[in-house]
Amino acid sequence: MLETTEELAALQSLLDQSIAAAGPHLRGIITEKRRLDAASLVGRLSGMRLITVATATADGRPLTGPFDGYFLRGSWWFSSGPDAVRIRHLRARPAVSATYLPGEEMSVTVHGRAELFDLHGPECADLRQAMLDFYLPKQGPAFQEWMDGLVGGVGVRIVASKMFTFSASPES
């Protein structure tokens, strides 16, 4: 867990404000008992989590796709190559949504805007380390060699304007 006390407080505030602004249908599903607080959320999102990221095409059509997501310092992060379609979308139209949905027992949905960084720049140090922590044990040194050689790699942080959590069993 990388989150500071201040980052956890900001995340909790975002979660509280998001559900307060939700419509009655969503609030009927995501009841108080089914919400995760910031500390519980961070505790359940360690390591790599597959997320579905939604961007918009130039003519406004939604486009979704999977990414290796990392929840770091209270925000979703992911990476891709500079020529990826969704990276092109985010450069032109930074509005983005993402969902982590491992099954019916939990979900995290975020809406906001994407900030794009050089994957090898200082802003992505936590993301690179998280990627190494996850993939080095699985793929060995070849993964770090690949990542270090990735020219133009893009790290993306979703700056959330809304975030919703659901848990069928928040105490687990």
Side-chain angles (χ1 to χ4, degrees), residues 3-4 16 21 24 26 32 50 54 56 61 69 84 89 92-93 98-99 103 126 131 142 145 147 159 172:
E3 286 75 10
T4 64
D16 293 343
L26 186 59
E32 188 63 33
L50 287 176
R61 290 176 295 118
H89 291 174
R93 293 165 301 281
T99 299
D126 289 339
M131 293 168 70
E145 293 168 14
M147 191 168 65
V159 178
S172 61

Side-chain angles (χ1 to χ4, degrees), residues 11-47:
L11 178 58
Q12 187 61 56
S13 179
L14 172 66
L15 294 170
D16 293 343
Q17 291 172 12
S18 297
I19 200 65
H25 177 75
L26 186 59
R27 285 194 318 269
I29 296 167
I30 304 176
T31 62
E32 188 63 33
K33 286 184 176 182
R34 291 179 169 168
R35 289 179 58 207
L36 292 170
D37 65 18
S40 297
L41 179 63
V42 168
R44 291 177 69 170
L45 293 179
S46 63

